[in-house]
Amino acid sequence: MLGVVAITLVYLAFIWVVFLKFKWLRFTPTWGLISAFFLLHLLIVPLVGTRMQSPFSTDVRVVRHTVQLIPRLPEPTLVTEVRVKENEPVKKGDVLFVFDKSIYKSQVQSAQAAVVAAKQNAKILEADIAVAKDSVTRAQSDLDFATVQQDRFATLASQRAGSQESADEWTSRVNSAQASLAEAQESQKRAELAYASQIAGVNTAVIQAEAALEQAQYYLAHTEMKAPNDGVIVNLQVQEGMVSGQLRVGAIASLIIDKDPYLIAAYRQENLMNVRPGQPVVVAINTYPGKHFSGKVEEIWYASRRGQYTPSGNLPLFPDIPLHTEARLPVKITLDDPTVRLGIGVGGATLILTSDNPFTWLGQISLRTYTWARWVYPLPI
């Protein structure tokens, strides 16, 4: 840059001495074209150097994280209280909206009763096993007795000391006792299987009931919508008496988060040749005319939607974008002073200082000219 200035001064001195001071030569149109051509090329050097060493952009926006406040309720529910106002700052945990709790309290009570019943049923299942075991023991005893009697009367009948009818009767009783034993054993298996339906030692019916209770308590807790973070409420669309819930589409308000604002500046692709994360940035914010702030490059997002194609059976058409447009790449920039108030969507200008040389001086002049011009531009005419 200094070399360009020196060459320019030397050439101007040459013109003054040769053509004006001593008039050794006449300044002809040919000399005029040569001088214009020479000076034009000298002007291109600082122009290119400034674009590459201190890229400047006025396509800048302040970005803040926003949270869409949507009720997490399964039923259309009456809004009973609105405890926040539009454009009002809130703290994390502040109650913003209160919804009618009646139906959700009833669901919690019903779920609590279901948990108690499930636990009681689990104890009944355990007792059923004991009852089934007793039934098996009793059926086994009846079978044993009937078998002994069958053998005794069969022996008597064979010796003609007893009637054949009595022997046949005890044979029938043995068959009946065997059936009763089989039934009691199956009942015991069913009781044991029902009781064995457990996860980590807890009956599955109890787990299901407790899960239903937790869900009911979750919805009851969400009848009070609280601020998830510090911020400002905007786009407030709900009032007391309105119904909100499952049938409502979209958010009832938005929360602009206070922490971690940043700026997105769009740059031409060639301007980012020497830009790296961590480099210093001079920032002008339109809401602060005449002022500038220091910042740094956080990230360069090498991504553009033009490089993305939706999967389909159609062959892509090249080019599929107007030739006169050029995709610009976003650069994420943060300010060094976190106390500067940055409104979401506010515009401005940024100047990235890739090095410390005279080319960056011209860029800083441009940025300061921009921010001071915000006092009068755009003109109210």
Side-chain angles (χ1 to χ4, degrees), residues 217-291:
Q217 291 172 336
Y218 171 84
Y219 287 131
L220 178 60
H222 278 75
T223 55
E224 290 187 355
M225 183 179 290
K226 299 180 180 179
N229 217 319
D230 297 351
V232 176
I233 293 293
V234 296
N235 195 28
L236 183 63
Q237 300 183 29
V238 66
Q239 296 295 327
E240 294 180 6
M242 294 179 61
V243 174
S244 182
Q246 189 179 23
L247 298 182
R248 183 181 179 86
V249 179
I252 60 177
S254 298
L255 176 67
I256 302 176
I257 304 298
D258 285 344
K259 66 179 183 179
D260 300 330
Y262 60 92
L263 295 92
I264 287 293
Y267 281 92
R268 295 185 181 275
Q269 299 167 36
E270 64 273 10
N271 295 155
L272 300 178
M273 182 176 64
N274 298 314
V275 176
R276 302 290 183 272
Q279 289 176 341
V281 182
V282 183
V283 179
I285 306 296
N286 292 345
T287 50
Y288 300 98
K291 295 183 179 181

Side-chain angles (χ1 to χ4, degrees), residues 54-94:
S54 57
F56 178 81
S57 175
T58 57
D59 191 358
V60 178
R61 291 292 181 272
V62 174
V63 180
R64 284 186 173 275
H65 298 289
T66 59
V67 177
Q68 307 303 313
L69 301 177
I70 303 175
R72 298 298 301 268
L73 298 173
E75 303 287 345
T77 309
L78 183 70
V79 179
T80 57
E81 292 183 56
V82 177
R83 299 185 183 180
V84 70
K85 296 181 180 178
E86 183 88 15
N87 204 33
E88 179 179 277
V90 295
K91 295 294 183 180
K92 181 177 180 179
D94 287 352

Side-chain angles (χ1 to χ4, degrees), residues 47-325:
L47 176 63
V48 174
T50 302
R51 283 167 54 86
M52 301 304 172
Q53 298 298 323
S54 57
F56 178 81
S57 175
T58 57
D59 191 358
V60 178
R61 291 292 181 272
V62 174
V63 180
R64 284 186 173 275
H65 298 289
T66 59
V67 177
Q68 307 303 313
L69 301 177
I70 303 175
R72 298 298 301 268
L73 298 173
E75 303 287 345
T77 309
L78 183 70
V79 179
T80 57
E81 292 183 56
V82 177
R83 299 185 183 180
V84 70
K85 296 181 180 178
E86 183 88 15
N87 204 33
E88 179 179 277
V90 295
K91 295 294 183 180
K92 181 177 180 179
D94 287 352
V95 177
L96 308 178
F97 310 105
V98 180
F99 302 89
D100 184 19
K101 302 176 183 289
S102 303
I103 185 173
Y104 302 104
K105 285 183 178 179
S106 299
Q107 290 175 352
V108 168
Q109 293 173 350
S110 177
Q112 288 173 338
V115 169
V116 174
K119 290 181 178 180
Q120 189 66 25
N121 288 335
K123 294 179 180 179
I124 292 174
L125 291 175
E126 186 177 5
D128 287 344
I129 294 176
V131 172
K133 287 181 179 180
D134 291 341
S135 297
V136 169
T137 301
R138 183 167 53 253
Q140 184 67 53
S141 299
D142 291 343
L143 176 60
D144 293 341
F145 176 75
T147 301
V148 172
Q149 290 294 93
Q150 180 192 26
D151 293 340
R152 181 180 301 167
F153 278 92
T155 302
L156 291 174
S158 64
Q159 295 175 356
R160 299 184 181 276
S163 65
Q164 185 62 39
E165 291 79 1
S166 297
D168 293 339
E169 180 182 355
W170 282 108
T171 299
S172 176
R173 290 188 180 184
V174 167
N175 293 334
S176 177
Q178 288 175 340
S180 298
L181 176 61
E183 182 180 358
Q185 289 173 337
E186 290 300 322
S187 298
Q188 180 181 347
K189 289 180 181 179
R190 287 197 299 270
E192 290 174 346
L193 288 174
Y195 183 73
S197 178
Q198 298 180 352
I199 297 176
V202 181
N203 185 267
T204 53
V206 175
I207 294 176
Q208 290 176 339
E210 289 179 342
L213 174 60
E214 290 178 0
Q215 185 180 61
Q217 291 172 336
Y218 171 84
Y219 287 131
L220 178 60
H222 278 75
T223 55
E224 290 187 355
M225 183 179 290
K226 299 180 180 179
N229 217 319
D230 297 351
V232 176
I233 293 293
V234 296
N235 195 28
L236 183 63
Q237 300 183 29
V238 66
Q239 296 295 327
E240 294 180 6
M242 294 179 61
V243 174
S244 182
Q246 189 179 23
L247 298 182
R248 183 181 179 86
V249 179
I252 60 177
S254 298
L255 176 67
I256 302 176
I257 304 298
D258 285 344
K259 66 179 183 179
D260 300 330
Y262 60 92
L263 295 92
I264 287 293
Y267 281 92
R268 295 185 181 275
Q269 299 167 36
E270 64 273 10
N271 295 155
L272 300 178
M273 182 176 64
N274 298 314
V275 176
R276 302 290 183 272
Q279 289 176 341
V281 182
V282 183
V283 179
I285 306 296
N286 292 345
T287 50
Y288 300 98
K291 295 183 179 181
H292 61 276
F293 307 91
S294 62
K296 65 178 180 180
V297 176
E298 286 288 339
E299 296 177 281
I300 305 170
W301 295 347
Y302 292 102
S304 172
R305 191 175 65 179
R306 292 184 176 183
Q308 182 184 28
Y309 291 89
T310 303
S312 71
N314 300 324
L315 296 178
L317 176 65
F318 299 103
D320 62 345
I321 55 176
L323 294 177
H324 64 277
T325 61

